[in-house]
Amino acid sequence: MTAPATVLQATPDLENVARKLLWWKEPAEALRDPVRFVAQVMALGTWSDVQTVDAVLGRDSFRRVLDDPPAGVLDEASWYYWHNALGMQPIPPLPKRRLP
């Protein structure tokens, strides 16, 4: 697997998804954090959002998120769904946030 891009190439479709799912950020800012952006799509995106990201970034972008997810974005249902959908077995426990 290749490392994720530092910044996603902004396309109108990705900007629309970013605007909808990371509404508190400007789309360009959201696309500067591709792992968080894809995780947000995995957690809250519609099937259309998922298809848009898959078409532009590919299926490996979803696998990379599951390999090292940002804390607190994916819920248990999303965690299990995506592992099953991508054939990533066995499913490890959902990572937990560590508070100091």
Side-chain angles (χ1 to χ4, degrees):
M1 247 183 280
T2 60
T6 308
V7 177
L8 297 177
Q9 181 66 37
T11 67
D13 289 339
L14 290 181
E15 287 177 341
N16 287 337
V17 173
R19 191 173 291 109
K20 183 171 74 169
L21 298 179
L22 291 107
W23 61 90
W24 62 95
K25 295 181 177 189
E26 289 297 318
E29 181 185 355
L31 296 174
R32 283 194 291 267
D33 187 352
V35 173
R36 174 61 193 255
F37 170 73
V38 173
Q40 199 78 8
V41 171
M42 293 168 77
L44 299 174
T46 64
W47 183 241
S48 177
D49 298 332
V50 169
Q51 289 180 315
T52 296
V53 171
D54 187 28
V56 175
L57 304 177
R59 194 64 45 104
D60 279 346
S61 64
F62 299 107
R63 288 184 181 94
R64 284 192 295 270
V65 168
L66 294 178
D67 286 340
D68 189 19
V73 177
L74 295 172
D75 61 6
E76 193 169 337
S78 298
W79 182 252
Y80 283 97
Y81 170 80
W82 282 104
H83 274 87
N84 282 312
L86 296 171
M88 296 176 69
Q89 306 292 328
I91 301 172
L94 178 66
K96 302 213 186 281
R97 285 187 180 189
R98 304 257 184 236
L99 299 176

